Amino acid sequence: MKYLFATAAMIAFAGPACAQEILLKPVAEARLRYEHADQAGLPIDTSDAVTARVRTGAMASSGALSATVVGQGTLSILDRRYDGLNGAATRPLIADPENVALYIAQLQYRSKALTLTGGRQKIALDDERFVGNVAFRDNGQTYDAARLELVPAKGLKIDIAYAWSARTIWGFQGRGARQQAVSGDNIFANLSYATPVGTLTGFAYLVDQDEAAVQGYRLSSQTYGARLAGALPISRIAKISYQLSHARQSDYHRNPNDYRADYWLADATLDVKGWKLNAGYEVLGADRGAALTSFQTPLGTNFKFQGWADKFLTTPANGVRDLYAGGGYGWKRWGPLTGVSLLATWHRFDSDRLDQHYGNEWNLLASAKAGKTMLSARYAHYDAKAFATDTEKLWLQADWTL
C-alpha cells in the first residue's frame, strides 16, 4: 500500500509529462566472477565460487517522468563454499547466493530543482558509509522507498527518503538473521551546501530494523552527524581531496540496548600526474563493550571500508579504529585497454577501548576497461592478532554494461 500511495502521488504530480513522446531505453548488465577465500580456524579452510549475474530491464521516459523496471538473476557455476544460506558453515563465507529478483521498480519525476522517486530503488548517500547499494555483492541492496531531492537554491540540496523495506543481498532464499528483506520505518535525511572549501552535509539516519530475527532489533539506531568533502588544486598537475566526518549514534525504536557511540573519519588523497596517494583514520566507537553497543552500519556499503577481507562488517563490541595508507598509479590507455589502474592499501586495526591490536590487512587491486567490459583482480590478506583469524581472499571479475 505504501508503494501504491507513493506511486499515485508522483503520477498526479507529473501528469502533464504523460502527453509527451515516450522514449524507451534498455538496461542490461552482466557479471562473471571467481572468488576464493582461505580462512584459518575452520574445519574446511577454503571456499571457491564462480558466479554469473545478469540484470535486464528498461526505462521508459516522457518529459520529466520516467518508469524503470530491472530484474536480476544470480547463478552459481562453481559452488564449493558456504554462501550464508546454503552449504556448510564450517567453511569460509562467499556471500553471493543464487537469486532471481525484481531489482528496480521505480517511478521518477525529475526537473532541475526537484526529483521524486517512488518504489524499489537504489539509494547511495555520500560515500555510502551509512546508507548504500552494496554494489560489490552480486545481489546488491535496494530499498522500497519514497525519496525527495530538492535544490531550492544554488549549492543547497535537501535529500529525504522514507524506506519501509531494505532488500538485502541474500535474495529470495533469505531467512533468519539473513532475510530477503528487512522491514521498518527508516528515514534518511541529508542537508548539504556547497561551500568554497567543499560540500558540507548534515545528516540524520533513523535505521529501523524491525525484524526480531535480525539480532533481536539490536541493529536499530539513530545517527546524527556532519561531513565535509572537497578538493583543492595545489598546482597544474596536482590536487588534494579530503573528507572529514563525525557522527553520534544511539539506540532507536525497539532496540533493547541503551548505548551511545561516536564515529570519526579523516581522509586525504593526493593526485599527482597519474599517481594517487591516500591516507586516513576511521573510528567506529564503542560504548561499554557489550555486543552491538558499538557504532553499527547495517545499511552501509561496508565492503568499501575497513578492508576487503570483511572482518568488520559487524563492528566488534569494543569498536574498531582503522589507520590506513595506500597508493597507486593509473594510465588513461595501455594498448587496447583504458582506465588502467594499480592500487595497494595497508590497514592497521585496533579496538576503540581496551587497547587491543586486532590485526593488519593488505588490499591490492588491478583494474582496466576493455570496450564496455570492466576487468578487475583483487586480493586481500588479513593477518590476525587479537581478533578473528588469518584470512586471504582473491577475486577475478568481469563486468559488462550496455
Side-chain angles (χ1 to χ4, degrees), residues 11 17 52 143 204:
I11 291 173
Y143 302 86

Side-chain angles (χ1 to χ4, degrees), residues 141-206:
Q141 176 172 268
T142 56
Y143 302 86
D144 291 340
R147 183 181 183 185
L148 177 149
E149 298 168 81
L150 178 64
V151 182
K154 184 178 180 181
L156 180 64
K157 183 178 180 181
I158 300 168
D159 189 335
I160 300 175
Y162 166 65
W164 54 90
S165 179
R167 313 294 300 188
T168 74
I169 67 170
W170 303 110
F172 75 89
Q173 300 182 73
R175 58 186 180 273
R178 293 170 171 158
Q179 296 192 7
Q180 177 182 8
V182 181
S183 61
D185 296 315
N186 303 278
I187 297 176
F188 314 136
N190 271 20
L191 176 63
S192 62
Y193 183 69
T195 75
V197 295
T199 299
L200 180 62
T201 303
F203 54 82
Y205 301 132
L206 308 183

Side-chain angles (χ1 to χ4, degrees), residues 4 30 36 46 52 80 95 102 130 144 157 167 182 191 266 290 297 300 308 338 347 361 367 387:
L4 291 176
H36 169 79
T46 62
R80 294 198 296 264
L102 182 62
F130 305 117
D144 291 340
K157 183 178 180 181
R167 313 294 300 188
V182 181
L191 176 63
T297 58
W308 299 334
T338 60
H347 297 260
E361 181 170 330
S367 63
F387 184 81

Side-chain angles (χ1 to χ4, degrees), residues 238-259:
K239 72 173 183 177
I240 186 167
S241 305
Y242 45 85
Q243 301 178 67
L244 298 170
S245 185
H246 173 252
R248 168 61 68 93
Q249 184 179 97
S250 60
D251 52 285
Y252 178 64
H253 197 51
R254 300 171 72 175
N255 191 333
N257 286 332
D258 181 7
Y259 77 99

Side-chain angles (χ1 to χ4, degrees), residues 80-135:
R80 294 198 296 264
R81 57 164 172 161
Y82 172 52
D83 69 11
L85 302 170
N86 306 291
T90 53
R91 64 192 313 164
L93 171 67
I94 296 179
D96 289 319
E98 290 191 316
N99 185 37
V100 176
L102 182 62
Y103 183 62
I104 300 291
Q106 70 174 44
L107 187 64
Q108 185 176 83
Y109 172 83
R110 180 184 292 273
S111 68
K112 185 176 180 180
L114 176 66
T115 301
L116 295 171
T117 310
R120 188 160 301 171
Q121 58 189 279
K122 292 190 290 185
I123 300 178
L125 300 177
D126 297 321
D127 59 356
E128 301 189 54
R129 191 51 172 122
F130 305 117
V131 180
N133 177 233
V134 197

